[in-house]
Amino acid sequence: MKKVFALVLAAALSLSLAACGSGGSTPPAASGSGAAASGSASTATYKVAMVCDSSISDGGWGAACYNAMVDAAEDLGWETAYADSVAQSDYASSITSYCDLGYNMIFLPGNQYSDATVQVAKDYPDICFAVLNGAESLPTDNITSILPDADEIGYMAGALAGLMTKTNVLGFIGGMEIDTTKAKLAGYEAAAKAVNPDITVLSAYAGSFDDTAKGMELANGMISKKADVFFGDASAVDSGARQAIDTANGSGEIAIYDIGQPADLVPQNQNACLIGSVVTDNAGMLKLAMQDVEAGTFGNKTIYGSFENKCLSVGTFNDELVSAEMQTAYMGFIDQMSAGTFPG
């Protein structure tokens, strides 16, 4: 578990943090923390830190969220830091450590951090907290929810799955049974059935975002029931599911596919089963929140990501698995979704 417990420079104690409502003063530079810190402390005006329960090298949710933070920070000249593989019992203490180090914004990449965020935010009213997939009821003076449109994400994956299935059985594996994951499942099933009324969707929750073995177990169970296209919302659990799918594809039976999210996973060539991705521009949404910090307008709002603001898009297709005709048909459905006419 990586945590940052560096000492704040003595000179920094006399300086005030840049308040969420003022956006005025320049915060003190943090004393470094080894691999957990990046950027130049001598030139950075603002600082953002991510606290994450999965690994930033998991090839899934943790990595995508970390990269989003780094991309947004580079665009705006912010300094970044992170603590990953953090246990639930340590959420609050890890968040607090960055508050004590003078970070302007703490980025929490999931609704599961909401309770800890609310707890800490009360004690640090001048620090801004951005919760990805945070509930619409969460925002306060110093908390903003960053909320990709879960319905649209599910619809995008479901339309592709409905087109690609040969068995008419689809799989969905979630991490925790939270509102955004349930919304993705509902959209996935609705869109798949709009494309192919004969679809059956098998679904299960791992009860975790980092149990790779559980992902393999759940995927194997669905494969035994003829599921041949999968979509997941479970970070490292998704990686386990893809391992099971790749192994099953080696048996010579019917091809089994997976649809990735939230990054464009096909070009990374991590799993042969990936046919495409639903890409969420978390960097774009996080950048909007960071600009609010700079402008002194942070808080009391939800920043949404959707087709409309181009924070949702189609990733790269695996051309060897998805024919040109299938890609054209799918993009036709995407055009309908963007226009608000799907199914139509």
Side-chain angles (χ1 to χ4, degrees):
M1 183 185 305
K2 299 186 179 103
K3 296 183 182 177
V4 178
F5 293 104
L7 295 175
V8 180
L9 294 176
L13 295 176
S14 63
L15 300 176
S16 61
L17 300 179
C20 293
S22 66
S25 61
T26 300
S31 54
S33 56
S38 64
S40 172
S42 63
T43 61
T45 301
Y46 293 93
K47 299 181 291 184
V48 56
M50 182 183 79
V51 174
C52 187
D53 56 13
S54 55
S55 169
I56 67 166
S57 59
D58 63 5
W61 184 253
C65 290
Y66 172 73
N67 290 333
M69 178 184 69
V70 170
D71 289 345
E74 286 181 350
D75 282 349
L76 296 175
W78 285 42
E79 181 183 350
T80 66
Y82 70 92
D84 66 348
S85 301
V86 176
Q88 183 176 5
S89 59
D90 294 325
Y91 288 171
S93 61
S94 295
I95 296 169
T96 298
S97 69
Y98 284 115
C99 295
D100 290 338
L101 285 168
Y103 280 75
N104 302 87
M105 177 189 285
I106 314 299
F107 172 42
L108 296 313
N111 190 53
Q112 65 269 31
Y113 308 94
S114 294
D115 290 344
T117 300
V118 170
Q119 173 189 335
V120 177
K122 291 177 180 178
D123 295 329
Y124 293 88
D126 292 333
I127 294 178
C128 304
F129 301 83
V131 183
L132 182 58
N133 291 332
E136 292 176 318
S137 60
L138 187 62
T140 59
D141 287 347
N142 64 334
I143 301 176
T144 285
S145 285
I146 300 174
L147 192 60
D149 192 314
D151 296 318
E152 289 184 359
I153 292 171
Y155 264 69
M156 292 173 72
L160 182 57
L163 285 170
M164 291 294 294
T165 182
K166 297 296 192 299
T167 65
N168 293 333
V169 181
L170 309 181
F172 179 93
I173 297 174
M176 305 296 289
E177 198 168 350
I178 57 180
D179 289 345
T180 51
T181 301
K182 291 189 289 186
K184 290 175 185 179
L185 170 57
Y188 179 66
E189 184 168 6
K193 289 184 175 179
V195 171
N196 181 349
D198 296 326
I199 289 289
T200 297
V201 176
L202 307 176
S203 64
Y205 291 92
S208 167
F209 290 102
D210 57 9
D211 191 341
T212 303
K214 189 66 175 181
M216 296 179 68
E217 175 191 333
L218 293 174
N220 281 325
M222 294 179 187
I223 291 169
S224 71
K225 296 177 181 178
K226 306 302 182 186
D228 67 342
V229 185
F230 283 77
F231 182 54
D233 192 43
S235 193
V237 176
D238 296 335
S239 299
R242 291 183 195 120
Q243 292 177 40
I245 294 169
D246 282 341
T247 299
N249 279 331
S251 67
E253 298 179 1
I254 191 167
I256 306 169
Y257 307 125
D258 186 69
I259 300 167
Q261 70 143 339
D264 191 4
L265 300 183
V266 171
Q268 298 180 25
N269 295 316
Q270 292 183 349
N271 296 93
C273 61
L274 283 162
I275 55 174
S277 305
V278 178
V279 181
T280 302
D281 186 5
N282 290 332
M285 292 183 290
L286 186 57
K287 184 177 177 180
L288 292 173
M290 294 162 71
Q291 288 172 327
D292 283 344
V293 174
E294 294 181 350
T297 57
F298 187 92
N300 292 312
K301 71 169 69 173
T302 297
I303 296 174
Y304 295 96
S306 64
F307 287 125
E308 184 176 357
N309 61 15
K310 303 186 185 303
C311 284
L312 288 182
S313 61
V314 174
T316 305
F317 291 105
N318 185 329
D319 292 329
E320 294 182 2
L321 301 178
V322 186
S323 68
E325 293 78 13
M326 196 70 75
Q327 293 180 30
T328 298
Y330 177 61
M331 293 308 299
F333 289 133
I334 293 297
D335 289 342
Q336 291 177 16
M337 293 177 196
S338 184
T341 60
F342 180 87

